[in-house]
mmCIF file of all heavy atoms in Angstrom:
data_model
loop_
_atom_site.group_PDB
_atom_site.id
_atom_site.type_symbol
_atom_site.label_atom_id
_atom_site.label_comp_id
_atom_site.label_asym_id
_atom_site.label_seq_id
_atom_site.Cartn_x
_atom_site.Cartn_y
_atom_site.Cartn_z
ATOM 1 N N PRO A 36 -219.089 -123.129 -8.838
ATOM 2 C CA PRO A 36 -218.055 -123.008 -9.766
ATOM 3 C C PRO A 36 -217.004 -124.103 -9.665
ATOM 4 O O PRO A 36 -216.946 -124.728 -8.621
ATOM 5 C CB PRO A 36 -217.395 -121.574 -9.406
ATOM 6 C CG PRO A 36 -217.862 -121.358 -8.019
ATOM 7 C CD PRO A 36 -219.162 -122.102 -7.741
ATOM 8 N N TYR A 38 -213.181 -125.525 -9.335
ATOM 9 C CA TYR A 38 -211.950 -125.011 -8.646
ATOM 10 C C TYR A 38 -210.819 -125.274 -9.499
ATOM 11 O O TYR A 38 -210.606 -126.444 -10.007
ATOM 12 C CB TYR A 38 -211.847 -125.789 -7.282
ATOM 13 C CG TYR A 38 -210.553 -125.406 -6.575
ATOM 14 C CD1 TYR A 38 -210.365 -124.212 -5.989
ATOM 15 C CD2 TYR A 38 -209.477 -126.368 -6.404
ATOM 16 C CE1 TYR A 38 -209.170 -123.875 -5.303
ATOM 17 C CE2 TYR A 38 -208.347 -126.089 -5.751
ATOM 18 C CZ TYR A 38 -208.242 -124.779 -5.158
ATOM 19 O OH TYR A 38 -207.045 -124.512 -4.525
ATOM 20 N N ASP A 59 -193.046 -135.922 -30.588
ATOM 21 C CA ASP A 59 -191.706 -136.432 -30.586
ATOM 22 C C ASP A 59 -191.617 -137.864 -30.342
ATOM 23 O O ASP A 59 -190.866 -138.642 -31.029
ATOM 24 C CB ASP A 59 -190.907 -135.765 -29.401
ATOM 25 C CG ASP A 59 -190.868 -134.267 -29.531
ATOM 26 O OD1 ASP A 59 -191.209 -133.727 -30.521
ATOM 27 O OD2 ASP A 59 -190.543 -133.738 -28.499
ATOM 28 N N PRO A 235 -197.201 -146.499 -20.144
ATOM 29 C CA PRO A 235 -197.093 -145.214 -20.981
ATOM 30 C C PRO A 235 -197.297 -145.568 -22.435
ATOM 31 O O PRO A 235 -196.792 -146.477 -23.049
ATOM 32 C CB PRO A 235 -195.619 -144.783 -20.780
ATOM 33 C CG PRO A 235 -194.801 -146.097 -20.427
ATOM 34 C CD PRO A 235 -195.835 -146.982 -19.777
ATOM 35 N N GLU A 321 -202.227 -136.361 -3.819
ATOM 36 C CA GLU A 321 -201.744 -136.140 -5.243
ATOM 37 C C GLU A 321 -202.907 -136.636 -6.206
ATOM 38 O O GLU A 321 -203.064 -136.073 -7.273
ATOM 39 C CB GLU A 321 -200.441 -136.850 -5.486
ATOM 40 C CG GLU A 321 -199.221 -136.322 -4.725
ATOM 41 C CD GLU A 321 -199.122 -136.955 -3.276
ATOM 42 O OE1 GLU A 321 -199.956 -137.905 -2.993
ATOM 43 O OE2 GLU A 321 -198.318 -136.445 -2.500
ATOM 44 N N LYS A 350 -209.513 -152.481 2.497
ATOM 45 C CA LYS A 350 -210.113 -153.823 2.341
ATOM 46 C C LYS A 350 -211.596 -153.830 2.871
ATOM 47 O O LYS A 350 -212.325 -154.660 2.510
ATOM 48 C CB LYS A 350 -209.295 -154.910 3.114
ATOM 49 C CG LYS A 350 -207.786 -154.873 2.954
ATOM 50 C CD LYS A 350 -207.360 -155.003 1.566
ATOM 51 C CE LYS A 350 -205.903 -154.778 1.471
ATOM 52 N NZ LYS A 350 -205.455 -153.375 1.590
ATOM 53 N N ASP A 353 -214.333 -149.262 6.352
ATOM 54 C CA ASP A 353 -213.926 -148.746 7.591
ATOM 55 C C ASP A 353 -213.480 -147.292 7.460
ATOM 56 O O ASP A 353 -213.705 -146.636 6.430
ATOM 57 C CB ASP A 353 -212.851 -149.647 8.219
ATOM 58 C CG ASP A 353 -211.602 -149.701 7.426
ATOM 59 O OD1 ASP A 353 -211.507 -149.037 6.303
ATOM 60 O OD2 ASP A 353 -210.626 -150.381 7.774
ATOM 61 N N GLN A 355 -210.588 -145.987 6.951
ATOM 62 C CA GLN A 355 -209.672 -145.848 5.787
ATOM 63 C C GLN A 355 -210.521 -145.555 4.564
ATOM 64 O O GLN A 355 -210.262 -144.537 3.884
ATOM 65 C CB GLN A 355 -208.775 -147.017 5.550
ATOM 66 C CG GLN A 355 -207.895 -146.804 4.200
ATOM 67 C CD GLN A 355 -206.915 -147.935 4.010
ATOM 68 O OE1 GLN A 355 -206.620 -148.729 4.869
ATOM 69 N NE2 GLN A 355 -206.333 -147.931 2.830
ATOM 70 N N TYR A 358 -212.113 -142.004 4.744
ATOM 71 C CA TYR A 358 -211.180 -140.846 4.519
ATOM 72 C C TYR A 358 -210.818 -140.823 3.003
ATOM 73 O O TYR A 358 -210.735 -139.790 2.402
ATOM 74 C CB TYR A 358 -209.930 -141.042 5.406
ATOM 75 C CG TYR A 358 -210.030 -140.570 6.824
ATOM 76 C CD1 TYR A 358 -210.526 -141.423 7.796
ATOM 77 C CD2 TYR A 358 -209.800 -139.231 7.143
ATOM 78 C CE1 TYR A 358 -210.593 -141.015 9.103
ATOM 79 C CE2 TYR A 358 -209.943 -138.775 8.497
ATOM 80 C CZ TYR A 358 -210.324 -139.698 9.415
ATOM 81 O OH TYR A 358 -210.497 -139.319 10.722
ATOM 82 N N ASN A 361 -213.909 -139.698 0.490
ATOM 83 C CA ASN A 361 -214.260 -138.175 0.408
ATOM 84 C C ASN A 361 -213.173 -137.310 0.073
ATOM 85 O O ASN A 361 -213.377 -136.153 -0.377
ATOM 86 C CB ASN A 361 -215.072 -137.777 1.639
ATOM 87 C CG ASN A 361 -216.597 -137.865 1.373
ATOM 88 O OD1 ASN A 361 -216.988 -138.100 0.292
ATOM 89 N ND2 ASN A 361 -217.400 -137.632 2.543
ATOM 90 N N ASP A 396 -221.822 -145.494 -0.141
ATOM 91 C CA ASP A 396 -221.467 -144.546 -1.261
ATOM 92 C C ASP A 396 -222.722 -143.917 -1.784
ATOM 93 O O ASP A 396 -222.864 -142.625 -2.053
ATOM 94 C CB ASP A 396 -220.743 -145.275 -2.281
ATOM 95 C CG ASP A 396 -219.268 -145.619 -1.904
ATOM 96 O OD1 ASP A 396 -218.786 -145.052 -0.935
ATOM 97 O OD2 ASP A 396 -218.646 -146.455 -2.587
ATOM 98 N N LYS A 405 -226.550 -132.748 -3.572
ATOM 99 C CA LYS A 405 -227.146 -131.449 -2.973
ATOM 100 C C LYS A 405 -226.034 -130.416 -2.943
ATOM 101 O O LYS A 405 -226.232 -129.268 -3.254
ATOM 102 C CB LYS A 405 -227.629 -131.824 -1.598
ATOM 103 C CG LYS A 405 -228.375 -130.675 -0.939
ATOM 104 C CD LYS A 405 -229.363 -131.079 0.085
ATOM 105 C CE LYS A 405 -230.268 -129.997 0.563
ATOM 106 N NZ LYS A 405 -229.609 -129.080 1.451
ATOM 107 N N ARG A 423 -235.273 -112.022 13.013
ATOM 108 C CA ARG A 423 -235.925 -110.846 13.721
ATOM 109 C C ARG A 423 -237.057 -111.411 14.611
ATOM 110 O O ARG A 423 -237.302 -110.863 15.628
ATOM 111 C CB ARG A 423 -236.391 -109.911 12.690
ATOM 112 C CG ARG A 423 -235.291 -109.032 12.104
ATOM 113 C CD ARG A 423 -235.702 -108.218 10.911
ATOM 114 N NE ARG A 423 -234.545 -107.365 10.516
ATOM 115 C CZ ARG A 423 -233.396 -107.685 9.958
ATOM 116 N NH1 ARG A 423 -233.203 -108.930 9.681
ATOM 117 N NH2 ARG A 423 -232.514 -106.771 9.722
ATOM 118 N N ALA A 428 -231.266 -115.182 22.013
ATOM 119 C CA ALA A 428 -231.508 -116.269 22.974
ATOM 120 C C ALA A 428 -232.783 -117.075 22.713
ATOM 121 O O ALA A 428 -233.183 -117.822 23.549
ATOM 122 C CB ALA A 428 -231.562 -115.632 24.368
ATOM 123 N N ASP A 452 -224.976 -142.382 11.884
ATOM 124 C CA ASP A 452 -225.679 -142.366 13.153
ATOM 125 C C ASP A 452 -225.291 -141.066 14.014
ATOM 126 O O ASP A 452 -224.151 -140.960 14.343
ATOM 127 C CB ASP A 452 -225.371 -143.669 14.027
ATOM 128 C CG ASP A 452 -226.194 -143.761 15.208
ATOM 129 O OD1 ASP A 452 -226.104 -142.849 16.158
ATOM 130 O OD2 ASP A 452 -227.073 -144.610 15.230
ATOM 131 N N ASN A 454 -227.326 -140.171 16.631
ATOM 132 C CA ASN A 454 -227.926 -140.354 17.967
ATOM 133 C C ASN A 454 -226.958 -140.145 19.119
ATOM 134 O O ASN A 454 -225.829 -140.221 18.940
ATOM 135 C CB ASN A 454 -228.587 -141.741 18.057
ATOM 136 C CG ASN A 454 -229.899 -141.847 17.149
ATOM 137 O OD1 ASN A 454 -230.557 -140.862 16.980
ATOM 138 N ND2 ASN A 454 -230.065 -143.000 16.541
ATOM 139 N N HIS A 467 -220.602 -148.501 11.294
ATOM 140 C CA HIS A 467 -221.140 -148.084 10.018
ATOM 141 C C HIS A 467 -221.260 -149.262 9.025
ATOM 142 O O HIS A 467 -222.267 -149.360 8.252
ATOM 143 C CB HIS A 467 -220.278 -147.005 9.401
ATOM 144 C CG HIS A 467 -220.973 -146.269 8.231
ATOM 145 N ND1 HIS A 467 -221.688 -145.228 8.389
ATOM 146 C CD2 HIS A 467 -220.960 -146.673 6.921
ATOM 147 C CE1 HIS A 467 -222.236 -144.944 7.117
ATOM 148 N NE2 HIS A 467 -221.699 -145.740 6.276
ATOM 149 N N ARG A 470 -224.334 -151.286 9.755
ATOM 150 C CA ARG A 470 -225.547 -150.616 9.321
ATOM 151 C C ARG A 470 -225.712 -150.588 7.826
ATOM 152 O O ARG A 470 -226.785 -150.857 7.206
ATOM 153 C CB ARG A 470 -225.565 -149.118 9.850
ATOM 154 C CG ARG A 470 -225.467 -148.944 11.320
ATOM 155 C CD ARG A 470 -225.809 -147.629 11.814
ATOM 156 N NE ARG A 470 -224.915 -146.497 11.351
ATOM 157 C CZ ARG A 470 -223.827 -146.131 11.952
ATOM 158 N NH1 ARG A 470 -223.444 -146.657 13.092
ATOM 159 N NH2 ARG A 470 -223.085 -145.139 11.430
ATOM 160 N N PRO B 36 -204.891 -121.796 -4.531
ATOM 161 C CA PRO B 36 -205.857 -120.688 -4.377
ATOM 162 C C PRO B 36 -207.023 -121.091 -3.523
ATOM 163 O O PRO B 36 -207.356 -122.291 -3.419
ATOM 164 C CB PRO B 36 -206.319 -120.472 -5.818
ATOM 165 C CG PRO B 36 -205.998 -121.657 -6.651
ATOM 166 C CD PRO B 36 -204.829 -122.358 -5.901
ATOM 167 N N TYR B 38 -211.048 -121.395 -2.797
ATOM 168 C CA TYR B 38 -212.238 -121.716 -3.569
ATOM 169 C C TYR B 38 -213.377 -120.909 -3.050
ATOM 170 O O TYR B 38 -213.679 -120.891 -1.904
ATOM 171 C CB TYR B 38 -212.660 -123.234 -3.429
ATOM 172 C CG TYR B 38 -213.893 -123.543 -4.165
ATOM 173 C CD1 TYR B 38 -213.920 -123.606 -5.546
ATOM 174 C CD2 TYR B 38 -215.108 -123.862 -3.494
ATOM 175 C CE1 TYR B 38 -215.140 -123.932 -6.258
ATOM 176 C CE2 TYR B 38 -216.263 -124.215 -4.193
ATOM 177 C CZ TYR B 38 -216.247 -124.239 -5.550
ATOM 178 O OH TYR B 38 -217.402 -124.553 -6.170
ATOM 179 N N ASP B 59 -230.452 -103.514 13.660
ATOM 180 C CA ASP B 59 -231.793 -103.529 13.895
ATOM 181 C C ASP B 59 -232.059 -104.389 15.231
ATOM 182 O O ASP B 59 -232.856 -103.914 16.101
ATOM 183 C CB ASP B 59 -232.585 -104.202 12.842
ATOM 184 C CG ASP B 59 -232.475 -103.526 11.517
ATOM 185 O OD1 ASP B 59 -231.941 -102.399 11.512
ATOM 186 O OD2 ASP B 59 -232.803 -104.102 10.446
ATOM 187 N N PRO B 235 -228.891 -117.801 19.294
ATOM 188 C CA PRO B 235 -228.663 -116.490 18.473
ATOM 189 C C PRO B 235 -228.315 -115.335 19.412
ATOM 190 O O PRO B 235 -229.055 -115.067 20.367
ATOM 191 C CB PRO B 235 -230.115 -116.349 17.883
ATOM 192 C CG PRO B 235 -231.046 -117.021 18.799
ATOM 193 C CD PRO B 235 -230.351 -118.031 19.526
ATOM 194 N N GLU B 321 -223.969 -129.186 3.778
ATOM 195 C CA GLU B 321 -224.218 -127.807 4.086
ATOM 196 C C GLU B 321 -223.127 -127.260 5.056
ATOM 197 O O GLU B 321 -222.746 -126.044 5.012
ATOM 198 C CB GLU B 321 -225.549 -127.638 4.779
ATOM 199 C CG GLU B 321 -226.636 -127.971 3.868
ATOM 200 C CD GLU B 321 -226.976 -129.415 3.804
ATOM 201 O OE1 GLU B 321 -226.464 -130.233 4.621
ATOM 202 O OE2 GLU B 321 -227.897 -129.869 2.956
ATOM 203 N N LYS B 350 -219.647 -142.412 16.431
ATOM 204 C CA LYS B 350 -219.284 -142.936 17.779
ATOM 205 C C LYS B 350 -217.883 -143.637 17.659
ATOM 206 O O LYS B 350 -217.268 -143.764 18.695
ATOM 207 C CB LYS B 350 -220.279 -143.961 18.351
ATOM 208 C CG LYS B 350 -221.711 -143.562 18.153
ATOM 209 C CD LYS B 350 -222.058 -142.287 18.928
ATOM 210 C CE LYS B 350 -223.492 -141.921 18.604
ATOM 211 N NZ LYS B 350 -223.735 -141.370 17.188
ATOM 212 N N ASP B 353 -214.820 -145.222 12.390
ATOM 213 C CA ASP B 353 -215.261 -146.206 11.291
ATOM 214 C C ASP B 353 -215.525 -145.464 10.021
ATOM 215 O O ASP B 353 -215.101 -144.336 9.870
ATOM 216 C CB ASP B 353 -216.504 -147.019 11.753
ATOM 217 C CG ASP B 353 -217.706 -146.013 12.025
ATOM 218 O OD1 ASP B 353 -217.521 -144.845 11.909
ATOM 219 O OD2 ASP B 353 -218.790 -146.613 12.426
ATOM 220 N N GLN B 355 -218.103 -144.012 8.873
ATOM 221 C CA GLN B 355 -218.789 -142.762 9.028
ATOM 222 C C GLN B 355 -217.909 -141.639 9.377
ATOM 223 O O GLN B 355 -217.945 -140.553 8.756
ATOM 224 C CB GLN B 355 -219.911 -142.864 10.176
ATOM 225 C CG GLN B 355 -220.545 -141.549 10.432
ATOM 226 C CD GLN B 355 -221.695 -141.596 11.506
ATOM 227 O OE1 GLN B 355 -222.149 -142.688 11.822
ATOM 228 N NE2 GLN B 355 -222.147 -140.452 11.878
ATOM 229 N N TYR B 358 -215.764 -140.658 6.229
ATOM 230 C CA TYR B 358 -216.579 -139.812 5.221
ATOM 231 C C TYR B 358 -216.741 -138.424 5.716
ATOM 232 O O TYR B 358 -216.706 -137.415 5.034
ATOM 233 C CB TYR B 358 -217.933 -140.448 4.940
ATOM 234 C CG TYR B 358 -217.841 -141.616 3.919
ATOM 235 C CD1 TYR B 358 -217.580 -142.904 4.329
ATOM 236 C CD2 TYR B 358 -217.908 -141.345 2.546
ATOM 237 C CE1 TYR B 358 -217.471 -143.990 3.413
ATOM 238 C CE2 TYR B 358 -217.822 -142.336 1.639
ATOM 239 C CZ TYR B 358 -217.641 -143.700 2.005
ATOM 240 O OH TYR B 358 -217.565 -144.770 1.194
ATOM 241 N N ASN B 361 -213.388 -136.125 6.030
ATOM 242 C CA ASN B 361 -212.703 -135.522 4.870
ATOM 243 C C ASN B 361 -213.677 -134.661 4.061
ATOM 244 O O ASN B 361 -213.226 -133.891 3.211
ATOM 245 C CB ASN B 361 -211.989 -136.570 4.012
ATOM 246 C CG ASN B 361 -210.475 -136.593 4.237
ATOM 247 O OD1 ASN B 361 -209.985 -135.724 4.976
ATOM 248 N ND2 ASN B 361 -209.806 -137.618 3.804
ATOM 249 N N ASP B 396 -206.326 -139.030 12.360
ATOM 250 C CA ASP B 396 -206.396 -137.633 11.888
ATOM 251 C C ASP B 396 -205.017 -137.026 11.676
ATOM 252 O O ASP B 396 -204.736 -136.354 10.733
ATOM 253 C CB ASP B 396 -207.132 -136.815 12.948
ATOM 254 C CG ASP B 396 -208.618 -137.129 12.997
ATOM 255 O OD1 ASP B 396 -209.128 -137.660 12.011
ATOM 256 O OD2 ASP B 396 -209.357 -136.797 13.964
ATOM 257 N N LYS B 405 -199.438 -131.477 2.694
ATOM 258 C CA LYS B 405 -198.780 -131.590 1.340
ATOM 259 C C LYS B 405 -199.684 -131.042 0.233
ATOM 260 O O LYS B 405 -199.270 -130.377 -0.660
ATOM 261 C CB LYS B 405 -198.410 -133.127 1.182
ATOM 262 C CG LYS B 405 -197.664 -133.285 -0.150
ATOM 263 C CD LYS B 405 -196.835 -134.567 -0.069
ATOM 264 C CE LYS B 405 -195.812 -134.659 -1.224
ATOM 265 N NZ LYS B 405 -196.446 -135.084 -2.471
ATOM 266 N N ARG B 423 -189.470 -139.389 -22.168
ATOM 267 C CA ARG B 423 -188.728 -139.741 -23.446
ATOM 268 C C ARG B 423 -187.707 -140.895 -23.268
ATOM 269 O O ARG B 423 -187.534 -141.655 -24.129
ATOM 270 C CB ARG B 423 -187.932 -138.446 -23.881
ATOM 271 C CG ARG B 423 -188.892 -137.412 -24.482
ATOM 272 C CD ARG B 423 -188.280 -136.033 -24.614
ATOM 273 N NE ARG B 423 -189.211 -135.249 -25.488
ATOM 274 C CZ ARG B 423 -190.333 -134.625 -25.011
ATOM 275 N NH1 ARG B 423 -190.678 -134.871 -23.697
ATOM 276 N NH2 ARG B 423 -191.092 -133.934 -25.772
ATOM 277 N N ALA B 428 -194.732 -148.305 -23.408
ATOM 278 C CA ALA B 428 -194.692 -149.680 -22.839
ATOM 279 C C ALA B 428 -193.553 -149.900 -21.896
ATOM 280 O O ALA B 428 -193.325 -151.068 -21.415
ATOM 281 C CB ALA B 428 -194.673 -150.678 -23.939
ATOM 282 N N ASP B 452 -203.870 -149.110 4.783
ATOM 283 C CA ASP B 452 -203.248 -150.401 4.289
ATOM 284 C C ASP B 452 -203.561 -150.572 2.840
ATOM 285 O O ASP B 452 -204.707 -150.689 2.376
ATOM 286 C CB ASP B 452 -203.890 -151.577 5.070
ATOM 287 C CG ASP B 452 -203.124 -152.848 4.810
ATOM 288 O OD1 ASP B 452 -203.197 -153.318 3.643
ATOM 289 O OD2 ASP B 452 -202.466 -153.375 5.671
ATOM 290 N N ASN B 454 -201.596 -152.874 1.051
ATOM 291 C CA ASN B 454 -201.117 -154.220 0.717
ATOM 292 C C ASN B 454 -202.155 -155.066 0.014
ATOM 293 O O ASN B 454 -203.414 -154.678 0.023
ATOM 294 C CB ASN B 454 -200.738 -154.961 1.959
ATOM 295 C CG ASN B 454 -199.417 -154.399 2.498
ATOM 296 O OD1 ASN B 454 -198.535 -153.888 1.794
ATOM 297 N ND2 ASN B 454 -199.341 -154.362 3.872
ATOM 298 N N HIS B 467 -209.026 -150.373 10.159
ATOM 299 C CA HIS B 467 -208.289 -149.155 10.352
ATOM 300 C C HIS B 467 -208.291 -148.733 11.859
ATOM 301 O O HIS B 467 -207.258 -148.305 12.404
ATOM 302 C CB HIS B 467 -208.855 -148.041 9.542
ATOM 303 C CG HIS B 467 -208.046 -146.769 9.454
ATOM 304 N ND1 HIS B 467 -207.122 -146.583 8.503
ATOM 305 C CD2 HIS B 467 -208.031 -145.815 10.394
ATOM 306 C CE1 HIS B 467 -206.581 -145.442 8.816
ATOM 307 N NE2 HIS B 467 -206.982 -144.953 9.975
ATOM 308 N N ARG B 470 -205.555 -150.683 13.695
ATOM 309 C CA ARG B 470 -204.252 -150.229 13.358
ATOM 310 C C ARG B 470 -203.929 -148.832 14.085
ATOM 311 O O ARG B 470 -202.872 -148.557 14.521
ATOM 312 C CB ARG B 470 -204.088 -150.044 11.814
ATOM 313 C CG ARG B 470 -204.254 -151.352 11.044
ATOM 314 C CD ARG B 470 -203.779 -151.284 9.668
ATOM 315 N NE ARG B 470 -204.444 -150.230 8.801
ATOM 316 C CZ ARG B 470 -205.533 -150.516 8.066
ATOM 317 N NH1 ARG B 470 -206.171 -151.732 8.120
ATOM 318 N NH2 ARG B 470 -206.110 -149.526 7.293
#
Side-chain angles (χ1 to χ4, degrees):
Chain A
Y38 176 69
D59 303 347
E321 296 85 9
K350 315 297 174 291
D353 64 358
Q355 175 176 349
Y358 280 91
N361 262 351
D396 289 340
K405 187 155 190 284
R423 283 168 171 74
D452 190 292
N454 287 324
H467 189 93
R470 299 196 299 272
Chain B
Y38 177 69
D59 303 347
E321 296 85 8
K350 315 296 174 292
D353 64 358
Q355 175 175 350
Y358 279 91
N361 262 351
D396 289 342
K405 187 156 190 282
R423 283 168 171 76
D452 190 294
N454 287 325
H467 189 93
R470 298 195 299 271

